[in-house]
Amino acid sequence: MILLRRPGRLLILVWLLTLSTHAHAQYPTSTISGSVRTEDGSPVPNATIQWIQNGQSVSLIADTTGVFSFHFVTPGQHSLSFEHPSTREIGRYQALISPGTSLRLAVILHSAPGNGAGSSPWEIKRQEIVEENAWQPERVLTASQIESLPSTEHLWSLLNHTEASVVAGRFDISGLYSHRQLLLGVRGSSWSQNQASLNGMSVTHTSGDGMLLFPDLTTMEAIVFTVGDSPTQHTGPGAHVALLPKAGERELHGQTEMFFQCGALQNTNPSERYRFFRITDSDERWRHFANGGFQLGGAFGRRPWYYFGAISGRDLEKHIRNQSLPVSVKLGQGTFNLSGPLSSQDTVSFYGSTQRVHEPQAGASPQVTREASLDQIQTYYTGQGAWTRSLSAKSLLDIRFGISRQGESSRFQPGAPGQSQEDLFPGYALAGLPNSPSPWAMLAMLNNTMRGPAPLAVSGKAGSTEGTAVYSTVRKGIGHSDHRISIGTSVRWISLTQRHAAVDSVNLLFFEGAPNSVRLLNVPSQTRDRIHQIEWHASDSFSLARLTLTLGISVDSSQGSNLLNHGRSANTLRWTNLAGRIGAAYRVLNGGRLVLRAGVAQINDQPLTSTWAAVNPDGMGIRLYSWADTNGDLQFQAGENRQILKVSGPPYTRMDARLKNPKTTESTLGITLGVTRWMSLQFFGFHRSEHRLISLVNEGVPFSSYTPVRVADPGPDGEVGTADDGFITVFNQKLETLGQDRYLLTNPDGFSAYAQGLELKLSFSTRRFQAQGTMTRFRAVASTSPGIEADQNDTNSYQGIFDDPNKAILARGSTYFDRGTLGRLWAASELPWKMRCSLIFSYQDGLPFGRYLPVKGLNQGVVGVLTEQRGPGARGTLTGPRTRYSATADMRVYKDFSLRHGRLVAILDIFNLTNQSHALEETPVTAPTQYWRIPLRFETPRSLQLGIRYKW
């Protein structure tokens, strides 16, 4: 988009604040319709139907024939109230609304109480519900469902245990990581392409790293989870998480709750093999975990205004198995929203939230010492405003404007001695040689691999300012077709400011316990990157008899640049992208019992500030030298750096003037079958291809600067002189090219990825029992840099295979979040004595795994190369070598106590019911067979959580 100067920005803001349009959502709205009649079939005109959605009151009146309809219902659990002048009684109906559905009700108003259900004159029945959405969302999780499931109210772990397509960066069970933003992977997409919205406004972090808020799930009315696209916008092929906050209601209501775990309520679970390596305790265990909050909502004023407010807090303290002192976290959150009518057609709403997370020992683990952690504070602020005008029962105009900010302050631990130290390829060992390590020495090599002060402290601010405008209408078309049309635009400004610091500006690297090399960093450094983005989008979802077609198109214009410290801009680049989708749903049987779905979409990546950060001239540069610790003090002094080996970082990188935004093409096919009234079956298949991926190409040291050499490989048993010994070809860099690295950020030819898979979902629901089981089988293949972390083995890792030919060895394989097979099962049932029980079972294959061989004696220093392919086809299997699978079964049992005012709920959660201890991450470097693949992390043991909730 053309760079907007300040007067231009002001005009756009004024325009956004003076018009009134409907905010785009990442889900299709739905329709509620029906008729109100007496018991003899006569129409009942002027009946009022009312509910609250998005913090705003929706009210409609039945016409002279008793018919009512509303076409812009948001997903979630809605409490519909029915009123009529002929009776003082109010009828109520709980409607669970999924995106893109049509719910038709039959409402009978009896002449006297007692003729209907119970003592109310109102009798309300569901007459028909039809799914009309060509792209069916993965899940709509309502507040009541979230409350019924065992959880620590952590969004990312909840999705990881309930959604078949989600893999989280941490397999969190009892909430040990419930203070962190976790990375998610879905269907082969990069974690950086996940999108999040709150009230229809984007709250995605500017670099793709989580959200610009830390959501309090207790304040959410519903969560809509989809993958790959939204019905309006077309940016971001990853997960789309739409958060719908709670709002006030006509009657005063609220709740308070408290949950608690501690070490006395937790088991231990190291296996016999772990105990052989003297791992007698879990990686992390609770000392205590307290999580509580208070909420209050209601209405005030003659023309009701609705308000809702909430505060909550968490206090975590946990033990790390090889550290003497516990680590702690404190988290506080606050939310408030207000909404009300300006006239019979206009309503406004305001929303604000803030969060603060203080983690005094951020990053500490069995591998990272307490001194090498960071004292980190994260703060989040979100403010939104909306103005909605109902032009008619079939047309809606609305506007939204929102600001989200995240600040991060990181400090080194006070008193941390010396300089940062990190081990290269910890755990590497060979058998059959003198002084081969014992199992306990092997374990010691895997503990405390990062010592001294933290290698880097990063602080900064991320911000997003957005305005959206959409006109939505429902119209009749040719051949009695029904059209749901949406036209709109959005404007967004995002920025990221970062400051980098390191103790003495060095990182010390050790190999096999000895000084090896040193990184010299040009810190402190400060960078600022920004993107201006405008999008126009239009869609039409129309139904003709049993056929529903959805057509959508969007044009996105983005301009990014670096704002340098002296005030000028650099690397200004503009992208204009066209995207679209077409989908069809055909109801083979009346009532939607059998629905066939198919769709094709082209989805553009959401532009990220990290793209411009990679080329910011003010960024942090790294020079890698060989290190001769001549005085043996294990500290670096000037003059101990010998041969330069490599340089990297933004100061050595330039941007391709023709750089293009990556895009994904996706095709889908699905079948939904209503087997019985209580049971449904869904089948879904997809194929995705990613194109124009971005990476760094090393222009200064091209592949021609390397010479192939053969080196000995001891084989999978890690023992020299056995039958599986062999040779592999690696690449030795020419001496004269060391340190000559210069990079180009570009779209390398042929750099692409694909993912494909199948999903099966079975749902069963009666009045007392509900269950849903899903299984996904998929694979994601790309050429990525070696590594066992999400930010390394990902298509968004720019420092990839075009930098060094050794990184390209067997690089084409599964990405970090490819799990092969995923299974999720959740069930809830009513028990006697007003008790309920729910169960979540979660299974996923392990991480893609490949053995690394550290190679010594090369001019460029020690490098690690893959010796086997990670992914499909390796070792003759469909999914390739992996770590062991992960699984957990979590259960919640709770009982209601009816009180004079409100009700009390006592809750017991049991996490990891079977006390599994499967390895979540294993050391991948070559070592003797009986010693290697030692777990670096394994599952949290069984833990009990006690909770109490009071509602009124």
Side-chain angles (χ1 to χ4, degrees):
M1 110 181 163
I2 298 174
L3 183 61
L4 297 174
R5 300 183 182 274
R6 289 184 179 179
R9 296 182 187 178
L10 182 61
L11 288 174
I12 288 179
L13 292 181
V14 171
W15 171 67
L16 289 174
L17 291 172
T18 54
L19 289 179
S20 49
T21 54
H22 179 62
H24 72 269
Q26 293 185 336
Y27 46 79
T29 54
S30 302
T31 297
I32 289 180
S33 63
S35 61
V36 185
R37 302 188 178 277
T38 62
E39 57 263 47
D40 62 3
S42 302
V44 178
N46 301 321
T48 301
I49 301 93
Q50 191 174 39
W51 69 91
I52 304 295
Q53 68 175 33
N54 282 350
Q56 302 178 21
S57 175
V58 176
S59 182
L60 54 146
I61 299 176
D63 61 19
T64 56
T65 63
V67 174
F68 62 89
S69 64
F70 187 78
H71 300 276
F72 307 102
V73 185
T74 58
Q77 188 85 30
H78 295 291
S79 179
L80 309 181
S81 65
F82 294 80
E83 301 179 47
H84 193 263
S86 65
T87 177
R88 299 179 62 181
E89 295 282 345
I90 297 176
R92 299 194 182 277
Y93 181 82
Q94 295 295 324
L96 177 59
I97 303 297
S98 297
T101 58
S102 289
L103 171 64
R104 182 167 179 80
L105 300 175
V107 183
I108 300 175
L109 180 59
H110 295 273
S111 56
N115 293 333
S119 60
S120 172
W122 296 93
E123 184 180 354
I124 308 165
K125 296 181 179 180
R126 189 185 81 180
Q127 194 173 41
E128 184 182 38
I129 184 166
V130 177
E131 296 178 353
E132 298 177 340
N133 186 17
W135 274 271
Q136 191 171 29
E138 298 292 295
R139 176 76 67 101
V140 179
L141 281 165
T142 65
S144 59
Q145 288 174 326
I146 295 172
E147 289 179 357
S148 70
L149 297 173
S151 74
T152 54
E153 294 165 347
H154 186 218
L155 173 62
W156 297 273
S157 61
L158 179 68
L159 292 175
N160 186 54
H161 293 309
T162 58
E163 299 309 311
S165 59
V166 169
V167 179
R170 293 274 181 171
F171 194 74
D172 188 20
I173 295 174
S174 61
L176 283 166
Y177 306 103
S178 61
H179 58 284
R180 296 183 185 175
Q181 303 254 15
L182 299 183
L183 302 181
L184 295 180
V186 293
R187 295 181 188 163
S189 178
S190 170
W191 54 263
S192 66
Q193 288 303 308
N194 297 326
Q195 305 298 305
S197 69
L198 178 75
N199 282 325
M201 305 292 296
S202 175
V203 287
T204 306
H205 195 283
T206 61
S207 66
D209 191 5
M211 297 185 184
L212 291 174
L213 81 160
F214 196 91
D216 181 356
L217 288 194
T218 65
T219 66
M220 297 299 156
E221 184 61 41
I223 299 171
V224 181
F225 175 80
T226 59
V227 179
D229 201 10
S230 66
T232 53
Q233 292 185 314
H234 302 277
T235 50
H240 288 224
V241 182
L243 305 173
L244 306 179
K246 290 180 179 178
E249 298 176 3
R250 178 179 301 179
E251 298 175 356
L252 184 69
H253 65 283
Q255 74 175 40
T256 183
E257 62 183 9
M258 174 62 71
F259 291 89
F260 182 76
Q261 296 181 68
C262 68
L265 300 175
Q266 195 169 37
N267 293 72
T268 58
N269 64 341
S271 66
E272 288 302 317
R273 183 169 187 268
Y274 300 168
R275 294 181 185 276
F276 172 77
F277 292 105
R278 297 183 179 176
I279 302 177
T280 59
D281 206 350
S282 302
D283 292 342
E284 296 179 352
R285 282 175 47 80
W286 286 122
R287 187 175 185 186
H288 70 257
F289 171 69
N291 177 20
F294 174 81
Q295 300 176 9
L296 184 68
F300 58 85
R302 215 165 68 184
R303 181 178 288 166
W305 282 69
Y306 299 94
Y307 67 90
F308 176 84
I311 56 173
S312 64
R314 299 185 184 199
D315 186 11
L316 294 74
E317 200 163 289
K318 52 189 178 181
H319 294 285
I320 296 175
R321 60 177 164 85
N322 59 354
Q323 298 185 16
S324 58
L325 297 175
V327 299
S328 61
V329 183
K330 285 183 169 53
L331 186 153
Q333 299 171 295
T335 297
F336 181 77
N337 62 48
L338 177 68
S339 64
L342 294 180
S343 68
S344 59
Q345 291 180 294
D346 300 299
T347 57
V348 294
S349 65
F350 306 93
Y351 176 90
S353 71
T354 180
Q355 301 90 22
R356 184 179 188 271
V357 184
H358 184 201
E359 194 173 358
Q361 302 87 26
S365 73
Q367 288 75 47
V368 180
T369 65
R370 187 184 182 90
E371 291 76 17
S373 65
L374 291 167
D375 185 353
Q376 189 176 87
I377 297 176
Q378 293 181 331
T379 54
Y380 303 87
Y381 305 95
T382 300
Q384 297 178 347
W387 183 3
T388 302
R389 164 163 288 192
S390 179
L391 300 178
S392 69
K394 295 185 178 182
S395 297
L396 200 66
L397 284 165
D398 179 289
I399 188 170
R400 293 190 184 237
F401 180 78
I403 299 175
S404 296
R405 298 288 184 268
Q406 185 244 357
E408 183 173 323
S409 173
S410 297
R411 299 182 300 173
F412 299 104
Q413 294 297 342
Q419 300 164 343
S420 69
Q421 301 182 9
E422 183 179 352
D423 291 335
L424 294 172
F425 307 107
Y428 171 68
L430 297 179
L433 297 175
N435 303 317
S436 292
S438 68
W440 305 282
M442 184 77 182
L443 174 63
M445 295 165 66
L446 297 173
N447 284 334
N448 303 324
T449 60
M450 190 173 291
R451 305 170 296 278
L456 193 66
V458 181
S459 302
K461 295 180 180 179
S464 173
T465 302
E466 183 180 19
T468 63
V470 175
Y471 169 74
S472 301
T473 185
V474 175
R475 290 286 183 265
K476 289 288 187 182
I478 300 174
H480 303 288
S481 59
D482 295 314
H483 293 255
R484 187 183 294 270
I485 300 170
S486 174
I487 303 173
T489 185
S490 65
V491 182
R492 191 181 181 208
W493 299 272
I494 65 175
S495 63
L496 178 64
T497 301
Q498 288 187 314
R499 298 181 300 277
H500 301 81
V503 174
D504 294 341
S505 301
V506 301
N507 298 153
L508 306 182
L509 304 177
F510 292 75
F511 179 65
E512 294 185 307
N516 178 267
S517 51
V518 58
R519 297 190 189 109
L520 302 185
L521 317 175
N522 67 324
V523 290
S525 66
Q526 177 170 303
T527 59
R528 183 181 177 188
D529 308 293
R530 61 187 180 184
I531 298 174
H532 301 159
Q533 188 175 19
I534 185 169
E535 182 184 13
W536 299 269
H537 52 82
S539 65
D540 182 10
S541 180
F542 59 93
S543 299
L544 181 61
R546 298 178 180 179
L547 178 66
T548 299
L549 292 176
T550 299
L551 306 174
I553 189 171
S554 71
V555 179
D556 174 86
S557 182
S558 305
Q559 179 174 292
S561 62
N562 309 126
L563 183 61
L564 303 183
N565 293 329
H566 54 66
R568 294 185 179 180
S569 297
N571 294 312
T572 300
L573 183 66
R574 184 179 303 132
W575 285 333
T576 300
N577 297 299
L578 176 67
R581 62 185 291 177
I582 179 171
Y586 182 71
R587 296 182 295 278
V588 179
L589 302 176
N590 287 328
R593 292 283 301 279
L594 177 60
V595 182
L596 307 179
R597 290 184 173 87
V600 178
Q602 178 173 299
I603 313 162
N604 297 312
D605 273 18
Q606 176 65 40
L608 304 172
T609 54
S610 56
T611 302
W612 279 266
V615 297
N616 194 315
D618 292 332
M620 182 183 69
I622 303 172
R623 291 171 294 152
L624 178 67
Y625 287 86
S626 59
W627 172 32
D629 185 25
T630 53
N631 59 7
D633 65 351
L634 303 183
Q635 298 293 292
F636 174 79
Q637 286 91 30
E640 292 184 348
N641 53 313
R642 296 299 173 88
Q643 173 66 54
I644 190 168
L645 303 176
K646 192 177 185 64
V647 298
S648 60
Y652 307 102
T653 306
R654 69 182 183 92
M655 178 178 280
D656 187 345
R658 296 175 296 177
L659 184 70
K660 297 179 180 179
N661 192 26
K663 64 179 180 180
T664 297
T665 56
E666 179 184 60
S667 56
T668 61
L669 182 66
I671 300 173
T672 300
L673 174 63
V675 181
T676 67
R677 182 180 176 183
W678 305 279
M679 183 183 299
S680 65
L681 180 68
Q682 296 179 29
F683 173 83
F684 172 82
F686 71 93
H687 181 90
R688 319 180 92 198
S689 298
E690 298 180 56
H691 312 280
R692 304 190 311 209
L693 294 176
I694 298 175
S695 185
L696 293 173
V697 173
N698 197 333
E699 296 180 308
V701 186
F703 283 15
S704 59
S705 302
Y706 292 83
T707 302
V709 296
R710 279 164 53 91
V711 298
D713 178 12
D717 67 356
E719 186 170 355
V720 177
T722 57
D724 65 351
D725 289 6
F727 292 90
I728 61 173
T729 299
V730 299
F731 299 90
N732 192 21
Q733 187 175 342
K734 297 176 182 178
L735 274 173
E736 64 271 17
T737 66
L738 294 175
Q740 300 301 310
D741 311 89
R742 295 298 183 269
Y743 303 92
L744 174 67
L745 187 68
T746 186
N747 308 105
D749 291 339
F751 188 25
S752 62
Y754 77 89
Q756 58 189 16
L758 302 173
E759 181 177 306
L760 184 66
K761 180 183 296 185
L762 179 64
S763 302
F764 183 85
S765 178
T766 66
R767 189 173 66 87
R768 294 182 175 273
F769 179 79
Q770 300 85 39
Q772 184 177 90
T774 56
M775 185 181 72
T776 299
R777 183 78 168 176
F778 79 104
R779 59 181 180 179
V781 178
S783 297
T784 59
S785 59
I788 59 172
E789 298 295 336
D791 58 351
Q792 298 168 334
N793 185 19
D794 186 85
T795 54
N796 194 49
S797 177
Y798 296 154
Q799 196 79 20
I801 65 171
F802 303 96
D803 168 31
D804 181 338
N806 289 304
K807 294 180 180 179
I809 297 174
L810 297 174
R812 184 74 174 176
S814 295
T815 55
Y816 178 86
F817 287 111
D818 178 358
R819 289 298 189 273
T821 300
L822 297 166
R824 312 285 194 242
L825 170 67
W826 70 266
S829 177
E830 290 188 11
L831 302 176
W833 305 295
K834 293 186 178 180
M835 295 180 63
R836 288 186 64 86
C837 177
S838 63
L839 176 74
I840 293 179
F841 174 76
S842 179
Y843 167 91
Q844 62 183 40
D845 283 352
L847 277 167
F849 186 89
R851 178 174 62 90
Y852 288 92
L853 177 67
V855 179
K856 299 179 285 186
L858 301 179
N859 293 331
Q860 67 267 37
V862 180
V863 300
V865 296
L866 273 171
T867 62
E868 59 185 335
Q869 179 186 334
R870 295 179 299 185
R875 295 186 186 173
T877 66
L878 180 63
T879 60
R882 296 180 176 274
T883 60
R884 197 178 183 191
Y885 68 87
S886 305
T888 184
D890 302 337
M891 184 172 70
R892 169 168 288 190
V893 180
Y894 56 105
K895 176 175 173 56
D896 277 12
F897 296 91
S898 297
L899 305 179
R900 182 175 180 182
H901 299 288
R903 60 189 181 94
L904 187 69
V905 185
I907 301 167
L908 170 65
D909 288 328
I910 307 175
F911 301 113
N912 196 357
L913 191 64
T914 56
N915 208 30
Q916 298 290 317
S917 61
H918 296 164
L920 302 175
E921 184 179 309
E922 299 173 342
T923 173
V925 299
T926 298
T929 302
Q930 65 271 35
Y931 301 157
W932 83 314
R933 297 191 73 159
I934 297 174
L936 300 177
R937 291 187 294 119
F938 59 95
E939 293 180 1
T940 303
R942 181 190 298 119
S943 183
L944 305 184
Q945 178 173 261
L946 305 177
I948 191 168
R949 178 182 292 121
Y950 174 58
K951 283 190 168 188
W952 69 92

